[in-house]
Amino acid sequence: MSAENDSVDEGKMYISYNNVHQLCQEAAEKIKPMKPDLIVAIGGGGFIPARILRSFLKEPGQPNLRVMAIILSLYEDINSVSTDAEKTGTEVVRVQWIDYLKSKIDLVGKNVLIVDEVDDTRTTLHYAISELQKDADAQAAAQGKPPGSTNFLVFVLHDKVKPKKAALPAKIMDTGKYLAARTVPDVWIAYPWESTDIVPHTEMAVKQGNDAFL
Amino acid sequence: MSAENDSVDEGKMYISYNNVHQLCQEAAEKIKPMKPDLIVAIGGGGFIPARILRSFLKEPGQPNLRVMAIILSLYEDINSVSTDAEKTGTEVVRVQWIDYLKSKIDLVGKNVLIVDEVDDTRTTLHYAISELQKDADAQAAAQGKPPGSTNFLVFVLHDKVKPKKAALPAKIMDTGKYLAARTVPDVWIAYPWESTDIVPHTEMAVKQGNDAFL
């Protein structure tokens, strides 16, 4: 058990599972009109909201949307003098990625919903979209089509108000394609799946108004 | 919203999120002595229990265990006359798999924990382990080592008592390496992430004793 989870801490924002579930439900109503074709979960934080969203995005008579998991490792070039992540020599390793051949996933002209739990420094989201964009453009080129036909949508449970270390494309941020269920101050968010004692955790979430059930 | 989730149904077994969390917590105490090196989540059902387990399996001073997601598609040969899944011409497609090169994952001599939500017909677990075993043996061969040094552990939230269509190796089943948090009758299990109305869902889970919180 990690020490930070052994007891509740008034300075943290406690989130219950049912709250996460309802944030996904609420967001799904906004996401549905954008007709996502595929969900990409950024692991490990995106796994749970992505799986919940899949239920709410299910259309009657249609199969479930597919959820593909991706995991990125980012290694910053420690010799770089720039503090701007976009200009540093960040090495991006696709620890887990989409196997386009085996999964028969074609990103060209599709609406791809990228899901993570929290937008903290924005770095992971930035690189995830940047890498997926490269793949989409390569797929388009292989089909003799112009690049840029893939629409990326972003969903996070919480966006922290703080200086971000990386940016997302204007065609996402300025067109309603970035959705945060809640915009929150830069505090420690205690997600239920990180809790080692879910009873006091849930009680704190209820006390803080982050549980709609009780 | 799928019709089956629109209202509660006394014939189903309702499971709350906090119940899932506590089942993972309980299981983690049994899993820890087996020292897993890697968690493999079978998507999409395994994503949530795998993410929760990762928190409980965290050892102080050690990094989190890695969670890799796999997704299998199974296509049964409809011309086959056998009803034994192991003997039918089932085509197994690794829709999502481990990229051993990029992730630098070496299965040789490791303890690999495979996680899914429910063991229904056992077919998915059977093929997941069978495919991972092939990879482990290939990795061992490439290192000039004998096959069979990888230990597979299985965790599911619920094992349904029913005739299974596929088997798991005796070295898993007969040595305590198969763990089901609960063994249950062959009923419809309503997991919280499939619920379209989490409040009555949770109330039913509480009523049925499948929530330890309330």
Side-chain angles (χ1 to χ4, degrees), chain A residues 66-68 102-103, chain B residues 40-44 47 69-75 90-98 114 116 122-132 134-135:
Chain A
R66 292 171 76 179
V67 179
M68 301 300 289
K102 295 276 178 59
S103 64
Chain B
V40 176
I42 299 181
F47 286 177
I70 63 171
I71 301 174
L72 283 177
S73 273
L74 306 176
Y75 301 94
T90 302
E91 188 200 351
V92 182
V93 179
R94 298 174 172 197
V95 174
Q96 174 144 46
W97 207 253
I98 300 169
I114 296 161
D116 206 350
R122 201 159 280 172
T123 313
T124 306
L125 284 169
H126 168 86
Y127 284 103
I129 290 171
S130 161
E131 295 296 308
L132 289 167
K134 283 182 209 167
D135 294 350

Side-chain angles (χ1 to χ4, degrees), chain A residues 1-2 17-18 21-22 25 29 32 41 44-45 47-48 51-52 54-56 58 60 66-71 93-99 102-103 117 192-200 202-203 206 212-214, chain B residues 1-2 17-18 21-22 25 29 32 41 44-45 47-48 51-52 54-56 58 60 66-71 93-99 102-103 117 192-200 202-203 206 212-214:
Chain A
M1 316 286 166
S2 56
Y17 279 111
N18 281 5
H21 192 90
Q22 293 187 322
Q25 180 170 19
E29 294 311 305
K32 273 187 171 183
F47 286 177
I48 293 180
R51 178 61 191 84
I52 298 170
R54 194 183 81 172
S55 297
F56 286 115
K58 173 93 169 62
R66 292 171 76 179
V67 179
M68 301 300 289
I70 63 171
I71 301 174
V93 178
R94 299 174 172 196
V95 175
Q96 174 144 46
W97 208 253
I98 300 169
D99 182 331
K102 295 276 178 59
S103 64
E117 58 187 0
W193 44 86
E194 288 165 357
S195 168
T196 51
D197 196 344
I198 199 65
V199 173
T202 307
E203 285 168 349
V206 171
F213 179 48
L214 293 164
Chain B
M1 316 285 166
S2 55
Y17 280 111
N18 281 6
H21 193 89
Q22 293 188 320
Q25 180 169 19
E29 294 310 305
K32 273 188 172 182
F47 286 177
I48 294 181
R51 177 61 191 84
I52 298 169
R54 193 183 82 173
S55 297
F56 286 114
K58 172 96 168 61
R66 292 171 76 178
V67 179
M68 302 300 289
I70 63 171
I71 301 174
V93 179
R94 298 174 172 197
V95 174
Q96 174 144 46
W97 207 253
I98 300 169
D99 182 331
K102 294 277 180 58
S103 65
E117 58 188 356
W193 44 86
E194 288 165 356
S195 169
T196 52
D197 196 345
I198 199 65
V199 173
T202 307
E203 285 168 348
V206 170
F213 178 49
L214 292 165

Side-chain angles (χ1 to χ4, degrees), chain A:
Chain A
M1 316 286 166
S2 56
E4 62 269 31
N5 288 319
D6 281 339
S7 55
V8 294
D9 172 346
E10 299 280 344
K12 295 181 184 173
M13 181 181 294
Y14 288 83
I15 306 295
S16 73
Y17 279 111
N18 281 5
N19 183 230
V20 169
H21 192 90
Q22 293 187 322
L23 292 178
C24 289
Q25 180 170 19
E26 181 188 293
E29 294 311 305
K30 296 176 188 166
I31 294 168
K32 273 187 171 183
M34 296 191 269
K35 301 193 180 300
D37 296 294
L38 172 70
I39 302 174
V40 176
I42 299 181
F47 286 177
I48 293 180
R51 178 61 191 84
I52 298 170
L53 267 179
R54 194 183 81 172
S55 297
F56 286 115
L57 293 173
K58 173 93 169 62
E59 296 285 1
Q62 298 292 316
N64 275 311
L65 285 178
R66 292 171 76 179
V67 179
M68 301 300 289
I70 63 171
I71 301 174
L72 283 178
S73 272
L74 306 176
Y75 302 95
E76 284 197 34
D77 179 352
I78 56 168
N79 295 316
S80 169
V81 292
S82 171
T83 55
D84 178 346
E86 290 187 83
K87 291 176 189 163
T88 59
T90 303
E91 188 199 351
V92 181
V93 178
R94 299 174 172 196
V95 175
Q96 174 144 46
W97 208 253
I98 300 169
D99 182 331
Y100 297 100
L101 199 65
K102 295 276 178 59
S103 64
K104 297 191 175 74
I105 287 173
D106 177 10
L107 300 177
V108 181
K110 299 296 197 313
N111 300 319
V112 179
L113 174 63
I114 297 161
V115 178
D116 206 350
E117 58 187 0
V118 63
D119 179 351
D120 187 61
T121 63
R122 201 159 281 173
T123 313
T124 306
L125 284 169
H126 168 86
Y127 284 104
I129 290 170
S130 161
E131 295 295 308
L132 289 167
Q133 183 71 64
K134 283 183 208 168
D135 295 349
D137 289 347
Q139 287 186 323
Q143 296 168 33
K145 293 175 183 168
S149 68
T150 305
N151 288 307
F152 293 101
L153 323 170
V154 173
F155 171 70
V156 292
L157 294 168
H158 299 96
D159 176 29
K160 289 187 181 177
V161 176
K162 63 189 291 184
K164 303 295 187 183
K165 293 185 180 169
L168 299 183
K171 68 179 278 192
I172 294 176
M173 297 307 288
D174 300 345
T175 59
K177 288 175 182 155
Y178 174 90
L179 286 168
R182 293 291 182 272
T183 303
V184 297
D186 186 16
V187 296
W188 183 302
I189 303 174
Y191 287 106
W193 44 86
E194 288 165 357
S195 168
T196 51
D197 196 344
I198 199 65
V199 173
H201 180 103
T202 307
E203 285 168 349
M204 279 297 287
V206 171
K207 189 174 159 188
Q208 294 180 345
N210 298 324
D211 185 289
F213 179 48
L214 293 164

Side-chain angles (χ1 to χ4, degrees), chain B:
Chain B
M1 316 285 166
S2 55
E4 64 268 30
N5 288 318
D6 282 338
S7 56
V8 294
D9 173 346
E10 298 281 345
K12 295 180 185 174
M13 180 181 294
Y14 288 84
I15 306 296
S16 73
Y17 280 111
N18 281 6
N19 184 229
V20 169
H21 193 89
Q22 293 188 320
L23 293 178
C24 289
Q25 180 169 19
E26 183 188 291
E29 294 310 305
K30 295 176 189 166
I31 293 168
K32 273 188 172 182
M34 296 192 269
K35 301 192 178 303
D37 297 294
L38 172 70
I39 301 173
V40 176
I42 299 181
F47 286 177
I48 294 181
R51 177 61 191 84
I52 298 169
L53 266 180
R54 193 183 82 173
S55 297
F56 286 114
L57 293 174
K58 172 96 168 61
E59 298 284 1
Q62 298 291 316
N64 275 312
L65 284 178
R66 292 171 76 178
V67 179
M68 302 300 289
I70 63 171
I71 301 174
L72 283 177
S73 273
L74 306 176
Y75 301 94
E76 284 197 34
D77 179 352
I78 55 168
N79 295 317
S80 168
V81 292
S82 171
T83 55
D84 178 346
E86 290 186 83
K87 291 176 189 162
T88 59
T90 302
E91 188 200 351
V92 182
V93 179
R94 298 174 172 197
V95 174
Q96 174 144 46
W97 207 253
I98 300 169
D99 182 331
Y100 298 100
L101 200 65
K102 294 277 180 58
S103 65
K104 297 193 174 74
I105 286 174
D106 177 9
L107 300 176
V108 181
K110 298 297 196 315
N111 300 319
V112 179
L113 175 63
I114 296 161
V115 178
D116 206 350
E117 58 188 356
V118 64
D119 179 351
D120 188 60
T121 63
R122 201 159 280 172
T123 313
T124 306
L125 284 169
H126 168 86
Y127 284 103
I129 290 171
S130 161
E131 295 296 308
L132 289 167
Q133 183 71 63
K134 283 182 209 167
D135 294 350
D137 289 347
Q139 288 187 322
Q143 296 169 32
K145 292 174 183 167
S149 69
T150 305
N151 288 308
F152 292 102
L153 323 170
V154 173
F155 172 70
V156 292
L157 295 169
H158 299 96
D159 176 29
K160 289 187 181 178
V161 176
K162 63 189 291 185
K164 302 295 186 182
K165 293 185 180 169
L168 299 183
K171 68 179 279 193
I172 295 175
M173 298 306 289
D174 300 346
T175 59
K177 287 175 184 158
Y178 175 91
L179 286 168
R182 293 291 181 272
T183 302
V184 298
D186 186 16
V187 296
W188 183 301
I189 303 174
Y191 287 106
W193 44 86
E194 288 165 356
S195 169
T196 52
D197 196 345
I198 199 65
V199 173
H201 180 103
T202 307
E203 285 168 348
M204 280 297 287
V206 170
K207 190 175 158 188
Q208 294 181 344
N210 298 324
D211 186 289
F213 178 49
L214 292 165

